[in-house]
Structures are given as structure tokens and as C-alpha cells.
Amino acid sequence: MRISQRHARYPFFEVARDAVEAAELSLPSLVAEEAPAVERGRERVERALLAGTVESETPREWSAQDELLSYPIARILVSLLDSEAAVRKYAAAEAETAAERIRADVETGDDGLRSTGNDGVSLDEVLAEFDLAETVVAEGSARAGDTPQWFRVGVGAYLDLQDPNWGDDWRLVNRELAEGRVRVEREELYRLLREAVARRVAEGLPFQVRGTDAGDDLADALEEGLDSLRGLLADRGRIGSIDVVVPDLFPPCMTNLVHRAREEVRLAPHEGFALMAFLTGIGMDTDEILAFCDASSLDREGIRYQIRYLRDERGTQYPPPSCETLAAYGLCHNEDEHWKIASHPLVYYKKRLAAADEDSYTDWRDARQAKTDEAGEGVAADDATDEDALGDDGSDADGDGDRDAAAEAEAVAGADPKQDEQS
Amino acid sequence: MDERTREYLTGRFGDYYRRAELTPPPAAGEREWGHIPWTAGSGTTMIRHQSLLDLGDLGSYLAREAPRHVYFSAARYDDPGASTMDAKGWDEADLVFDLDADHLPGVDPEETAYADMLAEGKAALVNLLDFLEDDFAFDHLDVVFSGGRGYHVHVRDESVRELDSEARREIVDYVRAIDLDEDALMETRPNETGTLRDTLRAEGGWGRRVHRRILALADEIEGMDDDEALERLREFDGVGEKTAGNLLTAFRENREALEAGNMEAGGAKRLVKKLLPEVVADETSPIDEPVTTDLRRLIRLPGSLHGGTGLAVRRIPRRSVADFDPLVDAVPDRFTGREITVEAAESATVDLGGETTNISAGENTVRECVGVFLMTRGAAEKATE
């Protein structure tokens, strides 16, 4: 079987698995030869854990065969990491990348104009791959060649793939359910497919690599370089919530990253990851981090992407690496011998907060909050005026709701004179 | 319950099972079985973790044991007889719904008469079936009278048998309209000319139910003169003269837009929020959540006897649901052929088998089904004949 771009782009498809088998290549010998697929397999896992994608940073370096074979190699590596978190993060990253590729393929369409020439898949093929061909039907009569906007998904499959934690609009109760099918938009269908891919990838992981002579040899050969990945995952101490943002007390390694980003130095992916993990770890939400990193070399989409990934879907967070791990990546140099205080950025920060007098620092949020309120007040008040004009018998609940919000915003902004001073 | 009563009921339940036509569920061998025997005292002991292999032939087993209550698991297991849940190896489970009069609004278990409870339960069952057949389009439904105060529905469509507890909770919440977001009923959609319109999401779900109600109201209005129609519309809380006028115009002149879900005309979107509570109250079904979300639940066996009423747990053919009267149709034939004497603690009235029996405190000679009903409920003891 010829190894195609399709196999390379969707290595978890059945046909791709078959292609790997048909290629009659032994993974142990690939590893022993240090074939490019092995290097790419490492990159695959590292990118998955650090950046939430398995897309290569240097895609031109790899052949279709390297790409395809890097997938089984990556599965061995993830199995060797032997951690539920690693499997989850890895599967999520494979799924994220796959979903983007599916979207690209589907929306390019099979019209012969494809510029990439990468042998893309059709939506029907993807659905068939996950046994969803029967249960998902396109709505209406889209013109030939048009990708439909709406689909109906069998309620069993919908409930199986959906997670109510994705948001209230995913809850079945808020859905158009009729004749056993749930109405979803195309983007939502991609989300469901992403979940299907993640499950396919996670299936059977981690598996036992060691235990036979051949397995032990394979594991030994791949062990090198696993330590740093393991380090990223092992730092899962319970640090407790912090929820105070005082940049002056950040550990030196983090301060260093912040400064460099603000001087418009482009951070390496693992540097950005370490910083985002720290900011998330001290309790900042997406909007706050975006505001905090405003006017820096970090781009907003990249930040959003990493935060989404850092926040585990189950609500637990992916904690930032320890100073030791950061040192292994050349990010922490034990500046000012801060390891003496604590060798973990979060613990260090927590200790410095505890040692500092509460009146001696200002929470970065307070300053920001005051500004936001000032801006927000005007907007909310406008809304209320609009609704007033609409209501003809004074019964419109919407109008009241917005007026309340406006009143509340006023109250918050006016309540604390200190905040006004800061802004 | 005294010993004579217990022995009598055990004997008669055994007689029932010797002739009973049992209707075991599909894949009976992959299910866990359990029963509660007749025992002295008020405590009940459930004997469970049994497989059909342990029991042998179901009919002769029941005839021999004559248990007070009989159950099987909604779940199918690799090893249903294993003594721990982990060791059983869960494969899948029927989706089960339970409507118990205890949980019905308007029912006070202490006050409401048994017949009224059952009627309430039946109304809730009809609502539930509407969801299951229309919204969910399930094909394999077993509707069962529980023999006690309610109804069970077993759904065995393949597409739901592997759903986890969380997914089943989504189904419960849908039926019960829990966390229904009234704002999510509307969305801004382009109409056929591409203009964005506030549109009711009427293609399914609760949006479709509200939509139907609005169209029904439009039908109702159509047959009225203007004054009558305006009066009807003003019945809605907060609808004044002006709004009612606008709505009437929309109903009269913009029917097509309404049918398409466009709620802009005449401010019809106000009606959505006003009608929603009514639609929910009328159409929801107060199913018991823990029963549906429990993947390892034991459910009464259709065809068995309920040890708290002496009524049969009856599978009801779908076409017969409307006419099913539990107080007639669930009375076992076995208990209608003769009279027995019981000692009642106090006076009572029992409606069974289409006849009303007045019971006075002390000895009464009554149809056997009435006697069994009173004894199983603890309201009478067997008297010597």
C-alpha cells in the first residue's frame, strides 16, 4: 500500500493503521536506526504536551512516511510516560490538529481547485470513519458542492460525544431535538468529531511497552529525552489557590519571561507555555491574561489557545513546571538563588505573598477592575435606555435585567474610592 | 403481618406463578436478578446478585420461591451473578424511566386516593411517551404498570444502551425541562430574503413545543371576533391593550411568518416567554431522576406480582395505554375466582376489578383480590375460614 498524504494527515484512520501494517516496517528497527519518524514522534508528543497541537514546527522536513510512522512511535512514547494526564493531553492535541485538518479539507471541498494537493477527506468519509454516517444527516438541500450549514445528529451519538460541561448551549434541554436527531451547526459537528478523534487516539493508551526483551529494548532506546517530558507532567503538587496578582512578587524566572515578552522578544513555545501555566496557576482567567499580556510579543489567539489547553476540561489545571524542569529547558537559572525560598514558581510566589505586608502591594486586578467598570458603566446604561423605549406596558423583563446590571456596575465602581484613585 | 397471613400469601403467590405467563426481558441471562422473600417483621431482605444460571428455569423458580417482589437489572453484564458490581463487568443498560405517584405534583401520598394517584401517573406517562416517541423517536419501548403506584418505561434502542449516567441525566433534564434556558429558545436567523429575524428555534425541542402552542393560540384566535380575541390575548400577564392589538394583527395578517418561527411580527416573541411556563407545566413529565441515571438499577419483572398490592406488574401494549385501567387490568385472574375472609383493622373502601367493596373493621368476606390487596398493604390479616 502506498503511503499517501491522507495517511500522514490522519494517522489514526483505519486505512492508515492498515498502511502501517502493510509497510512491514518494524518499529524497533526504526527506533534502533534513529529513523526520522522517531524524531518526528518525539516532536509530536512534545508539541502535544507543550502547545496542544501535533503539527510539526518544520513540516517540510518530514516525508509522508515519517509523519505516518511518527504516530505509532508517539503512542509508545505516551505509553512510556504512563500518566493519565499525558494521555488526555496528547489525545486532545491530536484531536485538535485533526479537527483543523478536517475543517480545512471539508471547506476546501473537492472541486479540483485544492492548492495544497494533499489528498483531503470529505465529511462523509470522516463520518464513515467514526461510524457516524448513518446517524448524521445534512439538513436541507444545499447546492451540489456547497458544504451544508446544519446537520442532524442521532441523539444517542450526540449524547455519547457531547459533554454538558462544554456549555449550556450543548445541554440537550436547550437543543432542537426532533425525530430522534439533534440539530447542530457545522462548527458544532466539528467539535463532536474532535471528541470522536480524541477517543480514538486515547483508546488503548497507555499500553504496556516493557515486559518482553524486545519491549524493554524499545523502551530503553526511547527513554532518552523522556525525562524532560515526564518532568512537565510530574509537577503536580497541590499548591492551593492563590488568586492574587502582584507582578512585583513573581519569581525571577517568570518576571524574566514577562519582560522579554513585553520587549517584543518572541518567546519559544515552551517559554510561552511556562508563562501561561504560571499565570493560569495563580488564578488569572483568560481575559485577565489577555489584558496582562497586551502590548507584548504574545499574540492573543496563541494565548487563548494555550489557556484553553492548560485548563483541563475536568476543571483541574495543568500546573506550571517546577524550577528544576524549567532549568532543564534553560528557562530558570536559579536567579538570586530563589530556589532557596522555593523551587517551584507557584510555591515561591505564594511564600513571597505571605511574607509581604498586604498594604504594601497592589493587586494588579484592582487597578484593572476600576478601569473596566468605568468603561462598562456607559455601555450598560445605553442598553437600559434602549429597552425603556421598547417596553409598551412596563412588563418587559429584559429591560429590568439590564437596568439592574447597570445599577450594579455603578455601585461597584462607586463603592470603593480607592479604586477610583487608582484609575 | 402475622404468620397465617404470610403463609397464605406465599401459597397464593406460588399458585399465581405456577400458571403465570412470565415475560422476561431480552438477554435475561446477562442480567442480575433479585427478589424479596416473605419474611416476618417489618424489615425486608433483598436477595440479589443472582444470574439466571443460579435460578434455573425462571418459571419453576418463581413457583417454588413465591417471592414477595421480583426484580431484574436494567444492565447487562458479563458475569451477572458476581457478588460485586466491579466483578460483574457492565456491558450496557436499558434506559429506564420511572413515574411514581410519590413524585407527582398534586399528589400527597398520605391524602390522595389510590385511584387518583394512578390517574395522575397515567397522565404523566402519556406526556413521557410523547417525548420518547416524538422527540427521541425511540423504537423499542416497553410500557409497564409497576403494580404499585406508577409506571415504568424500558427503552432498549441500541443507540442509548451504552450511554453513561451523565448522558442519561441529559435525557432526564430534557424531559423535565431542568435548566431550560428561555433565551436559548430564540435565535437570530436570516429569513428567506436574508434579513435577520428573531426566530423561535422551532425545529425541535422545547422551542417546537412552544411554537405549537403559539400556533394553537393563533387557531383559537382565528375563530373569534376582534373583541373576544383581544380579551383572550389580554389574559396573558402583562399584555396590555396595545400589545394585544399588535399580536392580533400579527395572528390575523402574518400567520405565515409565525408558522416559519419568525417572532418579530406584533412582538410575538413576548408570547414565547409568557407561554413557556404553561407549556412546561402541561407537557413535562416528572420522571424519577435517580432511576434513569442509575446504570445498575433493579426493576420489577413484568408479569410478576407486586407484594405491596397483590396486583400484577403488567406490560401494556402501546395501543392499549389510553384505555389501561390498573385497578381492573392489573388484577390477576387468579385472585378473582373466589371469596376469602379477612380481619380488617379499620373500615375502608376498595375499588378493584370494577367493583367497590366497603370494608368494615373486623371480619369481612370479600373477593380474594380485595383481601390480598388489604393483606399485602398491611391493612388486614387472614382470618380463619
Side-chain angles (χ1 to χ4, degrees):
Chain A
M1 192 187 293
R2 196 179 67 83
I3 291 176
S4 69
Q5 277 295 336
R6 176 182 297 200
H7 298 143
R9 282 159 59 80
Y10 302 103
F12 45 83
F13 274 22
E14 293 292 347
V15 284
R17 290 187 199 179
D18 295 346
V20 172
E21 276 175 32
E24 290 188 355
L25 291 162
S26 106
L27 292 179
S29 45
L30 283 179
V31 172
E33 290 161 17
E34 295 188 33
V38 179
E39 190 47 40
R40 172 65 185 119
R42 277 188 211 287
E43 189 203 18
R44 210 175 176 101
V45 178
E46 186 165 307
R47 292 273 286 156
L49 297 182
L50 286 177
T53 174
V54 297
E55 204 82 68
S56 174
E57 285 199 288
T58 53
R60 285 170 193 286
E61 227 173 87
W62 318 105
S63 68
Q65 173 165 324
D66 298 339
E67 272 299 315
L68 172 61
L69 295 176
S70 72
Y71 177 70
I73 299 279
R75 289 178 65 86
I76 299 174
L77 289 167
V78 171
S79 294
L80 288 170
L81 288 174
D82 193 23
S83 128
E84 202 191 305
V87 170
R88 209 161 54 232
K89 294 292 172 192
Y90 171 69
E94 285 282 0
E96 180 86 40
T97 303
E100 277 164 26
R101 290 175 179 170
I102 291 169
R103 179 187 290 110
D105 281 0
V106 170
E107 315 223 328
T108 312
D110 195 13
D111 54 4
L113 298 173
R114 201 195 315 282
S115 55
T116 49
N118 59 19
D119 189 19
V121 293
S122 70
L123 190 54
D124 285 346
E125 288 170 313
V126 178
L127 292 173
E129 177 68 30
F130 293 103
D131 214 7
L132 295 168
E134 302 273 306
T135 191
V136 178
V137 292
E139 190 174 281
S141 49
R143 279 182 298 128
D146 274 5
T147 314
Q149 187 59 29
W150 291 92
F151 296 84
R152 309 239 172 169
V153 180
V155 63
Y158 177 86
L159 287 175
D160 180 38
L161 292 171
Q162 159 267 24
D163 181 336
N165 297 321
W166 291 351
D168 284 348
D169 49 342
W170 284 98
R171 302 284 312 278
L172 188 63
V173 69
N174 293 320
R175 283 279 161 175
E176 289 172 284
L177 167 65
E179 287 78 48
R181 293 181 201 267
V182 181
R183 201 159 181 253
V184 302
E185 258 182 295
R186 187 166 70 223
E187 279 304 315
E188 294 173 324
L189 181 61
Y190 294 145
R191 180 70 189 87
L192 293 170
L193 288 173
R194 198 171 104 200
E195 180 64 22
V197 173
R199 292 196 195 168
R200 167 80 59 89
V201 171
E203 210 175 280
L205 286 181
F207 51 80
Q208 189 78 31
V209 181
R210 293 182 183 277
T212 60
D213 286 350
D216 289 346
D217 290 348
L218 188 61
D220 290 342
L222 288 171
E223 193 62 43
E224 185 199 338
L226 269 184
D227 275 347
S228 54
L229 288 178
R230 205 170 268 139
L232 282 173
L233 290 160
D235 303 330
R236 286 193 154 259
R238 283 202 164 271
I239 286 140
S241 71
I242 296 177
D243 238 21
V244 181
V245 184
V246 187
D248 288 349
L249 300 180
F250 283 3
C253 44
M254 292 299 141
T255 305
N256 186 22
L257 290 176
V258 173
H259 284 164
R260 283 176 52 213
R262 287 190 174 155
E263 284 159 17
E264 300 285 313
V265 178
R266 194 166 172 271
L267 298 186
H270 55 279
E271 294 176 319
F273 171 84
L275 180 58
M276 290 307 132
F278 176 77
L279 296 177
T280 309
I282 66 172
M284 290 172 79
D285 66 23
T286 312
D287 286 343
E288 290 170 342
I289 295 177
L290 283 172
F292 186 79
C293 296
D294 201 27
S296 78
S297 62
L298 298 156
D299 76 286
R300 295 175 69 85
E301 266 322 293
I303 293 173
R304 276 184 205 284
Y305 188 74
Q306 277 196 322
I307 297 171
R308 184 151 44 104
Y309 164 76
L310 281 161
R311 291 235 167 80
D312 201 289
E313 277 179 0
R314 296 173 196 193
T316 55
Q317 281 170 355
Y318 200 83
S322 70
C323 288
E324 196 183 340
T325 305
L326 291 171
Y329 277 91
L331 297 188
C332 181
H333 308 287
N334 193 14
E335 295 93 336
D336 310 328
E337 296 201 23
H338 67 270
W339 291 16
K340 279 189 178 164
I341 298 174
S343 64
H344 193 287
L346 284 183
V347 181
Y348 175 93
Y349 177 58
K350 202 174 182 182
K351 284 192 175 171
R352 285 199 64 187
L353 274 177
D357 180 353
E358 230 176 277
D359 295 331
S360 72
Y361 59 73
T362 311
D363 192 326
W364 171 86
R365 282 174 173 159
D366 291 341
R368 179 169 174 268
Q369 183 66 40
K371 281 185 204 163
T372 316
D373 288 338
E374 210 169 62
E377 200 181 320
V379 175
D382 283 346
D383 279 349
T385 316
D386 273 347
E387 290 291 344
D388 276 341
L390 265 181
D392 75 342
D393 42 34
S395 65
D396 198 324
D398 284 345
D400 296 343
D402 284 341
R403 274 195 295 276
D404 286 345
E408 204 172 286
E410 271 173 42
V412 172
D416 188 352
K418 253 197 329 207
Q419 287 182 345
D420 288 339
E421 275 165 35
Q422 280 158 14
S423 63
Chain B
M1 186 178 291
D2 64 22
E3 199 179 331
R4 182 190 294 122
T5 306
R6 200 165 52 246
E7 268 173 20
Y8 179 83
L9 289 172
T10 310
R12 292 301 285 156
F13 272 45
D15 292 342
Y16 168 86
Y17 283 116
R18 267 184 280 284
R19 295 273 183 80
E21 195 187 315
L22 290 168
T23 46
E30 294 164 38
R31 299 178 190 264
E32 177 193 353
W33 291 78
H35 71 269
I36 296 176
W38 295 96
T39 45
S42 57
T44 49
T45 315
M46 163 103 75
I47 295 167
R48 58 182 300 180
H49 305 305
Q50 293 182 296
S51 72
L52 222 47
L53 276 177
D54 301 323
L55 305 184
D57 174 69
L58 189 63
S60 41
Y61 163 78
L62 291 175
R64 188 173 69 242
E65 295 290 325
R68 190 170 184 175
H69 303 281
V70 188
Y71 308 90
F72 68 92
S73 64
R76 306 178 193 190
Y77 301 99
D78 293 335
D79 181 7
S83 58
T84 65
M85 285 300 166
D86 275 351
K88 286 191 202 307
W90 189 90
D91 287 327
E92 56 177 45
D94 304 340
L95 177 66
V96 178
F97 297 92
D98 175 34
L99 284 162
D100 192 310
D102 277 8
H103 299 94
L104 300 180
V107 168
D108 176 346
E110 301 297 315
E111 293 294 327
T112 311
Y114 187 47
D116 294 338
M117 278 188 206
L118 291 171
E120 290 282 339
K122 176 82 163 299
L125 172 67
V126 169
N127 278 357
L128 173 62
L129 290 173
D130 186 58
F131 281 104
L132 301 183
E133 292 172 337
D134 201 15
D135 297 33
F136 289 92
F138 290 136
D139 288 322
H140 303 283
L141 299 181
D142 252 1
V143 182
V144 177
F145 170 61
S146 75
R149 286 187 292 205
Y151 293 87
H152 298 155
V153 181
H154 306 241
V155 178
R156 300 204 172 98
D157 286 50
E158 217 173 305
S159 62
V160 295
R161 296 209 302 247
E162 289 186 14
L163 292 181
D164 63 14
S165 201
E166 196 175 46
R168 289 169 199 240
R169 191 183 314 271
E170 286 289 287
I171 296 175
V172 174
D173 288 351
Y174 180 89
V175 169
R176 292 181 53 181
I178 289 170
D179 295 340
L180 176 60
D181 176 2
E182 59 173 23
D183 294 324
L185 292 175
M186 303 287 296
E187 72 180 12
T188 311
R189 278 184 196 167
N191 67 1
E192 56 289 344
T193 63
T195 319
L196 292 176
R197 292 287 184 214
D198 276 343
T199 309
L200 183 58
R201 299 171 71 204
E203 303 270 347
W206 283 97
R208 181 168 69 167
R209 290 172 180 268
V210 173
H211 191 232
R212 286 174 179 160
R213 188 70 63 116
I214 288 175
L215 296 183
L217 180 65
D219 286 344
E220 190 188 336
I221 297 286
E222 207 167 79
M224 298 178 172
D225 64 33
D226 281 4
D227 287 345
E228 205 183 346
L230 287 170
E231 201 176 319
R232 171 71 182 90
L233 290 168
R234 290 192 61 177
E235 282 170 20
F236 290 102
D237 193 28
V239 172
E241 207 172 315
K242 192 174 151 196
T243 308
N246 291 341
L247 281 170
L248 183 59
T249 311
F251 280 161
R252 294 249 199 268
E253 289 163 22
N254 247 330
R255 178 70 188 246
E256 242 171 73
L258 281 181
E259 302 226 353
N262 176 354
M263 294 290 129
E264 302 255 355
K269 59 182 160 184
R270 288 163 175 274
L271 272 186
V272 172
K273 288 190 180 180
K274 303 213 181 295
L275 284 170
L276 181 62
E278 204 177 289
V279 173
V280 169
D282 290 351
E283 300 189 14
T284 191
S285 185
I287 46 177
D288 190 15
E289 194 244 48
V291 175
T292 303
T293 54
D294 185 349
L295 301 176
R296 298 176 168 80
R297 197 81 170 188
L298 296 183
I299 316 285
R300 281 181 193 281
L301 172 66
S304 69
L305 292 178
H306 188 297
T309 59
L311 294 176
V313 181
R314 266 295 188 244
R315 180 172 286 140
I316 312 168
R318 182 61 187 89
R319 63 180 182 283
S320 311
V321 168
D323 297 328
F324 183 80
D325 179 354
L327 298 184
V328 175
D329 299 319
V331 175
D333 286 346
R334 194 81 193 154
F335 301 157
T336 55
R338 61 172 180 174
E339 296 202 324
I340 60 170
T341 307
V342 294
E343 171 93 24
E346 50 191 80
S347 63
T349 308
V350 178
D351 279 312
L352 268 190
E355 288 176 39
T356 302
T357 309
N358 291 312
I359 306 290
S360 45
E363 277 199 8
N364 294 264
T365 298
V366 292
R367 286 173 295 146
E368 187 177 21
C369 60
V370 174
V372 168
F373 181 78
L374 290 169
M375 288 188 285
T376 50
R377 306 199 91 186
E381 300 286 356
K382 184 75 185 68
T384 45
E385 299 284 337

